Amino acid sequence: MAKQTWTLDPTHSELQFKVKHLMITTVTGSLKAFSADLTSEGDEFENAEINFSGDIDSIDTGNKDRDNHLKSADFFDAEKFAHIEFKSTSVEKDGGDYIVKGNLTIKGETNPVKLTAEFGGIATDPWGNTKAGFTLSGKINRSDFGLNWNAALETGGVMVSEEVRLLGELQFVKSVEA
C-alpha cells in the first residue's frame, strides 16, 4: 500500500493542557496555533509517522497576566524557545485506538512520552475531503522539561502541580494524490 499524507485541519482541532492550581482546582489552557502531519499506509494509522509543532506565543489560559508569566523564562521562555515539537517513534493499535509514543521537546528538553489517541473514524466532508478524527490524551511531568517554577504554600503543598494533562481533538485531512 502507498504512503498517504494527512495534514491537521486547524479549524476543526484544539489542543489543551490542564494543571492543578493550589492543589484544589484545575486551570485549563490551550495552544491556539499549532500544526501537525502524519504519514500512514493508506487509511491505516498503525506505524504512522507523526510530526507536531506548537507556537508557545499562542498559549491562552483566559488570563493575560498568567499567559505572559507562562511565556516568560519562569516557564516556557518563548523568546528562546518559540515552539513545542513532537515526533512519533511508534504508533501501535490498541483495540480501536492507538498508543502513540514519541519524543516531546519543550524548552530545549526532549523526553519520551506516551499518548493515547482514541480513533473517531474517517468521514468525507461536503466538499469531498476525506477526514480522520482523533481524541488525544496523556500526561507529562513539567519538571522533566525544565518548567520548574513553583511556590510553596503556607498550608503545605505547592502552587502548581508537576503533572500536566494533555487533551486534544484533532482532525486531519487526507492529501489528494496528483
Side-chain angles (χ1 to χ4, degrees):
M1 180 152 296
K3 294 271 186 193
Q4 180 61 57
T5 302
W6 301 76
T7 304
L8 185 79
D9 177 351
T11 60
H12 297 105
S13 299
E14 60 184 43
L15 188 61
Q16 297 180 322
F17 56 92
K18 295 182 175 281
V19 181
K20 283 282 191 189
H21 181 258
L22 300 176
M23 306 301 107
I24 60 172
T25 58
T26 299
V27 171
T28 300
S30 62
L31 281 181
K32 295 296 188 183
F34 56 97
S35 62
D37 60 70
L38 66 87
T39 304
S40 66
E41 291 291 333
D43 292 350
E44 296 297 321
F45 298 101
E46 192 165 26
N47 300 314
E49 296 174 15
I50 304 166
N51 292 292
F52 165 88
S53 180
D55 182 355
I56 294 296
D57 203 42
S58 75
I59 286 176
D60 182 1
T61 64
N63 180 287
K64 188 174 182 173
D65 290 339
R66 180 173 45 227
D67 296 348
N68 288 337
H69 190 203
L70 288 172
K71 294 173 193 177
S72 77
D74 281 348
F75 286 97
F76 289 98
D77 200 356
E79 282 190 32
K80 289 184 185 174
F81 304 99
H83 296 92
I84 295 171
E85 305 285 338
F86 174 82
K87 182 168 180 55
S88 66
T89 55
S90 71
V91 178
E92 300 171 1
K93 198 158 177 92
D94 181 25
D97 301 331
Y98 296 92
I99 302 300
V100 179
K101 295 179 182 175
N103 293 314
L104 180 63
T105 303
I106 300 174
K107 201 175 177 180
E109 298 284 333
T110 302
N111 288 290
V113 297
K114 178 179 159 184
L115 307 167
T116 300
E118 180 183 330
F119 182 51
I122 295 176
T124 302
D125 71 14
W127 300 273
N129 298 303
T130 302
K131 306 265 189 112
F134 301 90
T135 298
L136 187 73
S137 62
K139 296 177 185 177
I140 62 169
N141 184 316
R142 66 186 180 89
S143 64
D144 291 345
F145 298 93
L147 304 175
N148 298 315
W149 183 92
N150 222 332
L153 301 174
E154 286 182 22
T155 57
V158 291
M159 187 174 296
V160 183
S161 67
E162 294 294 311
E163 181 182 276
V164 179
R165 289 182 286 150
L166 305 174
L167 303 159
E169 290 294 333
L170 306 173
Q171 191 174 112
F172 289 86
V173 62
K174 187 180 202 178
S175 297
V176 177
E177 298 298 314

